[in-house]
Amino acid sequence: MVSEDRAVRPTPSQVELDRRTFRKKQDTRSILISIVSTLIFAAVLGFLVVGSPGWAVVQEKFFNFEIGAEFFPRILKGLWLNVRVLFFAVIGVAIFGSLLAVARTLKGSVFTPIRLLAAAYTDIFRGLPVILVLYLVGYGIPGLQILPRMPEAFWGTIALILCYSAYVSEVLRAGIEAIHPSQRMAARSLGLTYYQTLRMVVFPQAIRKVTPALMNDFVSMQKDVGLISVLGAVDAIRAAQIAAATTYNSTPYVVAGILFILFSWPFIRLTDWYTARTQKREQVGGLV
């Protein structure tokens, strides 16, 4: 059956074949021009940097290979703390952000206090700088002496959860409100309760709509985990700071920066790929 279908498949005309050949040549030409222009730009930029009067001093202060290699293991060990903080922060943000989003979308007058409280929370924590929340949480809450002494990374994780839950909840709320009301009515007409409708119909579609925005928030949080160093936690940034103070050289900061880029880069590429894929899927048939 398949072979018969292939047998009747129409053969492209000569005009279509010429079009394909022309497009292929245009794509090859565009790639070559991109490569050449990129190489020229990199060469000019490298010449300007290396040929600058202060390059020798900058090279010694920021790109000292021996110092970088010496402190690399300690900075890498500190990065492992950042990874663990990110892991628990993502879980906390997913749970708390979802609850806030649901609270802001509750219908009915009886839920007005909850909606107002959730709105006030998101307004406050979206307005506060992350580093300020870190100071307030890391030095303020332990002063109350309600909990036993906890490590600095614990309070840093709490501060990140408080800040990023506000951002993520607003993204989720936008996704929930983007679902057409007919979806809810159809689910309720099938006998689903409000919470079943939310869990099985609304939430999956909402998350799919806002996945690129959520992935961007995750990328932002990947680099902001380095801010826990202000509380004294010996993460990658703090380890680099200690090394720089010991050697009077800033190369450890460069090492920490490169490690953070390598840590974030795979997910950044994944986010761009998924965003482009989603955009392409939504614009099928709409491009002119």
Side-chain angles (χ1 to χ4, degrees), residues 69-128:
E70 179 183 354
F71 290 97
F72 176 79
R74 300 181 196 179
I75 299 172
L76 186 63
K77 184 180 178 182
L79 186 68
W80 174 236
L81 177 62
N82 294 120
V83 173
R84 285 179 287 167
V85 168
L86 179 66
F87 175 77
F88 290 107
V90 166
I91 295 174
V93 168
I95 296 172
F96 194 36
S98 300
L99 292 176
L100 281 172
V102 172
R104 291 210 64 184
T105 56
L106 286 174
K107 306 297 182 185
S109 304
V110 70
F111 296 116
T112 300
I114 297 177
R115 286 198 300 271
L116 290 176
L117 190 62
Y121 177 89
T122 54
D123 288 349
I124 291 172
F125 280 95
R126 282 192 299 163
L128 282 172

Side-chain angles (χ1 to χ4, degrees), residues 234-288:
V234 186
D235 68 333
I237 303 297
R238 183 65 176 164
Q241 188 179 22
I242 294 171
T246 305
T247 60
Y248 302 103
N249 191 287
S250 299
T251 301
Y253 288 124
V254 177
V255 174
I258 292 173
L259 286 177
F260 265 97
I261 292 172
L262 294 176
F263 175 47
S264 305
W265 188 79
F267 203 81
I268 292 172
R269 290 292 93 217
L270 178 64
T271 302
D272 289 348
W273 171 80
Y274 187 80
T275 303
R277 180 171 173 265
T278 305
Q279 187 177 15
K280 186 178 179 181
R281 183 187 299 169
E282 291 176 351
Q283 292 180 350
V284 169
L287 296 176
V288 294

Side-chain angles (χ1 to χ4, degrees), residues 95-209:
I95 296 172
F96 194 36
S98 300
L99 292 176
L100 281 172
V102 172
R104 291 210 64 184
T105 56
L106 286 174
K107 306 297 182 185
S109 304
V110 70
F111 296 116
T112 300
I114 297 177
R115 286 198 300 271
L116 290 176
L117 190 62
Y121 177 89
T122 54
D123 288 349
I124 291 172
F125 280 95
R126 282 192 299 163
L128 282 172
V130 178
I131 193 168
L132 188 57
V133 177
L134 279 161
Y135 279 125
L136 293 175
V137 172
Y139 296 123
I141 296 180
L144 298 175
Q145 298 182 356
I146 297 174
L147 298 174
R149 184 176 177 80
M150 303 296 287
E152 295 84 358
F154 171 81
W155 297 115
T157 306
I158 297 296
L160 289 173
I161 291 173
L162 291 175
C163 289
Y164 274 91
S165 293
Y167 295 111
V168 169
S169 70
E170 286 302 287
V171 174
L172 287 174
R173 183 172 71 93
I176 291 173
E177 292 180 346
I179 304 301
H180 198 274
S182 62
Q183 298 279 324
R184 293 174 182 265
M185 289 188 284
R188 297 302 298 273
S189 66
L190 292 174
L192 297 181
T193 65
Y194 176 82
Y195 295 104
Q196 287 175 330
T197 303
L198 193 66
R199 180 169 57 87
M200 293 189 288
V201 178
V202 177
F203 232 73
Q205 294 184 70
I207 291 175
R208 184 179 176 184
K209 284 179 177 293

Side-chain angles (χ1 to χ4, degrees), residues 46-60:
F47 177 78
L48 290 176
V49 172
V50 177
S52 60
W55 168 243
V57 177
V58 171
Q59 186 180 20
E60 174 60 27

